[in-house]
Amino acid sequence: MKTIKLLSLVLAVMMIFGSVAYADVINQPVVDDQNATITVTGTIPGASYGDSVGIYVLKPGKTSAEIDVTDGEKFKAAVAGFAAGLTDNEGNYEVVIGLDGLGEGDYTILASSKKLAEDKSLVYYFASKEAKLDFIEELKEIVDASGSK
């Protein structure tokens, strides 16, 4: 029974803090609640030093088809954050994106590069710092309750 509870806790934590779809191209993002930023790292296969990569954070419910870089209003309606970076000798990149004022929800992180045959993406569930702290308190209560039985 404790194994089932522990597995449930692990799955719940993965749902709250995100999960990875394309680990090579986009790694697990790191959210800095204090500075309202997200750091996205990854590796672009076949890229060499100085190749460009664009990282888009799409608002919940938006798709890459809705990104229109020629229309500022449409771009803002679809994109919560954007940053461009360059790859190193091994195709690795790291970009930091400001994400001030995001609400909770499933955000799509999209990596775009000329070296990719197609854009790669992952869905990341963003939760506010307060929601994360509340969730941790709930987990503590569950663990405490299961330990007393």
Side-chain angles (χ1 to χ4, degrees):
M1 188 63 164
K2 285 187 178 184
T3 304
I4 293 172
K5 286 183 181 180
L6 180 59
L7 182 58
S8 297
L9 291 174
V10 169
L11 291 173
V13 168
M14 288 175 63
M15 287 174 56
I16 286 291
F17 294 102
S19 58
V20 177
Y22 289 95
D24 291 338
V25 176
I26 305 172
N27 296 324
Q28 180 70 29
V30 177
V31 176
D32 180 344
D33 291 312
Q34 186 173 4
N35 294 314
T37 62
I38 186 169
T39 300
V40 180
T41 62
T43 303
I44 305 297
S48 56
Y49 182 81
D51 287 335
S52 63
V53 60
I55 302 296
Y56 300 83
V57 179
L58 304 181
K59 294 178 180 177
K62 299 298 181 179
T63 67
S64 60
E66 297 174 78
I67 299 173
D68 185 347
V69 296
T70 63
D71 184 329
E73 291 302 315
K74 287 182 181 177
F75 186 84
K76 288 179 186 178
V79 178
F82 170 79
L86 300 174
T87 57
D88 66 13
N89 291 340
E90 297 174 351
N92 301 313
Y93 68 88
E94 176 177 313
V95 296
V96 179
I97 304 170
L99 297 176
D100 195 27
L102 285 187
E104 292 183 34
D106 290 328
Y107 289 78
T108 300
I109 300 173
L110 180 75
S112 181
S113 173
K114 290 180 182 178
K115 294 291 182 173
L116 293 172
E118 61 183 32
D119 294 342
K120 301 293 182 183
S121 64
L122 70 85
V123 175
Y124 181 82
Y125 180 78
F126 179 81
S128 67
K129 182 178 181 180
E130 294 78 21
K132 289 177 186 175
L133 293 174
D134 290 345
F135 180 74
I136 290 169
E137 286 303 315
E138 289 176 23
L139 288 178
K140 287 179 183 177
E141 290 174 13
I142 292 169
V143 169
D144 289 346
S146 67
S148 62
K149 291 183 180 180

